[in-house]
Amino acid sequence: MPKINRLKPLPDDELKAILRAADDIIASGGRTLLSQILKGSKVRKLLELGLDRNPSYGYYKELTLEQITEKVDHMIRTGYLEKEYIGKLPMIVFTPLGWAIEKERRAEELVQAWNHWLENRITPTSMEDLKDRNRGMMFLFLYKILCTGDKKYIPFLKMWESIDYTKVKQEIRRVIQALNEKDTMTDSEWTQLLTERAQSLLVKSREPILLICQSCDRIFLFDDTNPDYYMSSGLNLPTECMNCYSGDNDD
């Protein structure tokens, strides 16, 4: 049964930092290793695994390991992370909610990396690092590129298309075609195209994502395939169920 977030979560910046730190050790490390990454520890195992290169390394360097572990435990209690036994050892894994947030941030990081390359006239030698990544994350990345409507990404898209698998190639080709045709479309036609492409590029979580309505305190299902929730600033989680939200609009 998916965990339900009935407690107040950590502030967004902290929440995202912990999820980013966890991303490199999912199903391969536990609470202690995650806390050490966030502390900026110099323990041998962490350094040997290259975890000091994680963007969240040292995020909580001013806190004690005990204080950091309490924050990790709060992430578990509030339904963003959970422990899963691999053999006899408890490992950290994402909940569906935690992965939805992290997936969006990783996709946005890829967009920002491409923007950096374009602004600095950097041509990558290969796009092999995009292959074999989580399919939902990569399709979300494609959707974000599509939403820009900007042809500047096409050379990179073509490089990526040349090295990936058939299904990914097909989606990349569709995005390239859409970007090439955007200038010939009306605003309504473009909006319709984005709506249609969202149906295949926004991949539904394998498990339901359940949230608590802040107005009526009832559980409701979060639709992670709704494009309205995806922003460059992060995943915009609804705070109310549809009944309460619709009621507010009627006042």
Side-chain angles (χ1 to χ4, degrees):
M1 176 72 178
K3 292 182 181 295
I4 308 301
N5 184 357
R6 290 187 179 276
L7 300 174
K8 184 177 180 180
L10 293 173
D12 280 353
D13 288 349
E14 294 187 59
L15 189 152
K16 291 173 183 176
I18 294 174
L19 291 176
R20 187 64 184 85
D23 203 348
D24 283 349
I25 62 165
I26 289 299
S28 64
R31 295 160 58 250
T32 299
L33 184 56
L34 176 54
S35 298
Q36 289 171 338
I37 295 171
L38 291 161
K39 174 66 178 175
S41 172
K42 301 291 186 182
V43 296
R44 178 181 294 180
K45 178 182 178 181
L46 188 154
L47 299 177
E48 287 177 347
L49 293 172
L51 296 173
D52 54 326
R53 295 192 293 272
N54 184 288
S56 291
Y57 178 76
Y59 181 84
Y60 285 132
K61 61 184 178 182
E62 304 300 330
L63 301 184
T64 66
L65 274 175
E66 183 179 359
Q67 290 172 322
I68 298 169
T69 301
E70 172 54 30
K71 288 182 179 290
V72 170
D73 287 343
H74 191 72
M75 290 285 285
I76 294 171
R77 290 192 295 268
T78 51
Y80 295 91
L81 295 172
E82 61 185 351
K83 291 183 290 184
E84 180 178 291
Y85 279 85
I86 310 296
K88 296 183 179 181
L89 299 176
M91 300 298 181
I92 287 291
V93 296
F94 289 125
T95 63
L97 176 59
W99 173 238
I101 294 171
E102 176 64 5
K103 176 178 68 174
E104 192 283 330
R105 294 313 303 152
R106 294 301 299 273
E108 184 61 26
E109 283 179 9
L110 290 171
V111 176
Q112 295 307 318
W114 278 20
N115 286 340
H116 173 76
W117 291 344
L118 289 164
E119 290 166 6
N120 293 277
R121 299 182 179 180
I122 298 171
T123 301
T125 56
S126 171
M127 290 289 182
E128 285 288 339
D129 65 321
L130 298 183
K131 195 175 182 180
D132 294 317
R133 293 201 185 190
N134 176 269
R135 184 69 57 86
M137 181 178 77
M138 300 315 294
F139 280 7
L140 177 55
F141 171 43
L142 264 179
Y143 181 71
K144 284 175 172 283
I145 292 294
L146 176 63
C147 287
T148 68
D150 200 325
K151 294 180 181 179
K152 68 182 181 181
Y153 298 105
I154 290 178
F156 289 169
L157 288 168
K158 289 181 176 179
M159 289 182 64
W160 179 13
E161 180 196 352
S162 69
I163 58 91
D164 221 316
Y165 301 109
T166 301
K167 186 170 179 57
V168 180
K169 287 177 183 283
Q170 291 172 346
E171 296 297 344
I172 295 172
R173 289 191 196 109
R174 292 187 180 111
V175 170
I176 292 172
Q177 181 180 355
L179 293 176
N180 277 323
E181 295 176 355
K182 182 180 184 298
D183 290 342
T184 66
M185 295 182 180
T186 64
D187 289 345
S188 61
E189 288 173 337
W190 178 249
T191 299
Q192 178 61 31
L193 182 144
L194 292 179
T195 300
E196 292 172 355
R197 300 306 308 127
Q199 294 177 14
S200 60
L201 292 176
L202 298 182
V203 180
K204 191 173 186 63
S205 172
R206 283 182 286 184
E207 296 182 44
I209 299 175
L210 303 177
L211 302 176
I212 296 293
C213 177
Q214 294 184 9
S215 294
C216 69
D217 201 36
R218 292 177 180 168
I219 298 169
F220 69 97
L221 184 66
F222 170 61
D223 180 10
D224 56 338
T225 65
N226 186 335
D228 293 340
Y229 295 136
Y230 293 90
M231 311 290 179
S232 60
S233 58
L235 188 62
N236 182 28
L237 294 173
T239 59
E240 295 180 315
C241 65
M242 286 302 298
N243 286 340
C244 291
Y245 181 75
S246 298
D248 286 344
N249 285 343
D250 291 340
D251 290 339

